[in-house]
């Protein structure tokens, strides 16, 4: 009665779960469940000329800007191609020039 062996449920884990793509196993409460993954570029391998960006709820390979023609830099900045893509870089301050306005 109180001393006889009994079968008890084993703790569930994600080891027994096989989740579909786009999901991962997480223990919710006391049981494992397949839950949607957060959108990420970690697993994306984009072809040359593109880069990964999360668009809406999914990562996508989007074309990279390749020239300064497509860039709008703020005042005081100029566009320069750095590596494979254009970037806005701060303009250097011009040197100060002193002019003599009058003679003593």
């Amino acid at each position: 009665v109180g001393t006889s062996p009994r079968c008890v449920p084993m703790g569930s884990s994600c080891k027994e779960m096989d989740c579909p793509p786009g999901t991962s196993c997480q223990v919710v409460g006391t049981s494992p469940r397949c839950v949607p993954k957060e959108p990420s570029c970690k697993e994306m391998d984009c072809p040359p000329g593109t880069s990964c960006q999360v668009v809406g709820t999914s990562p996508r390979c989007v074309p990279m800007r390749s020239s300064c023609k497509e860039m709008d830099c703020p005042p005081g900045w100029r566009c320069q191609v750095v590596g494979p893509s254009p970037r806005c870089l701060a303009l250097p301050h011009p040197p100060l020039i002193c002019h003599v306005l009058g003679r003593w």
Side-chain angles (χ1 to χ4, degrees):
V1 175
T3 59
S4 59
R6 288 185 280 162
C7 293
V8 294
M10 293 177 54
S12 300
S13 73
C14 285
K15 291 178 185 175
E16 298 89 32
M17 293 291 289
D18 187 21
C19 292
T23 64
S24 64
C25 181
Q26 292 181 3
V27 176
V28 179
T30 58
S31 55
R33 302 195 189 245
C34 295
V35 296
K37 289 182 180 178
E38 289 290 318
S40 166
C41 285
K42 290 178 186 174
E43 299 170 1
M44 291 290 289
D45 188 21
C46 293
T50 65
S51 65
C52 180
Q53 292 180 4
V54 176
V55 179
T57 58
S58 60
R60 295 205 173 117
C61 294
V62 295
M64 292 172 40
R65 294 178 175 164
S66 59
S67 74
C68 286
K69 291 177 187 173
E70 298 133 10
M71 291 287 289
D72 288 321
C73 295
W77 295 71
R78 67 178 165 84
C79 180
Q80 182 175 340
V81 176
V82 178
S85 59
R87 303 214 190 278
C88 290
L89 303 174
L91 289 172
H93 293 288
L96 295 176
I97 299 173
C98 296
H99 295 280
V100 177
L101 297 176
R103 296 190 181 215
W104 293 92

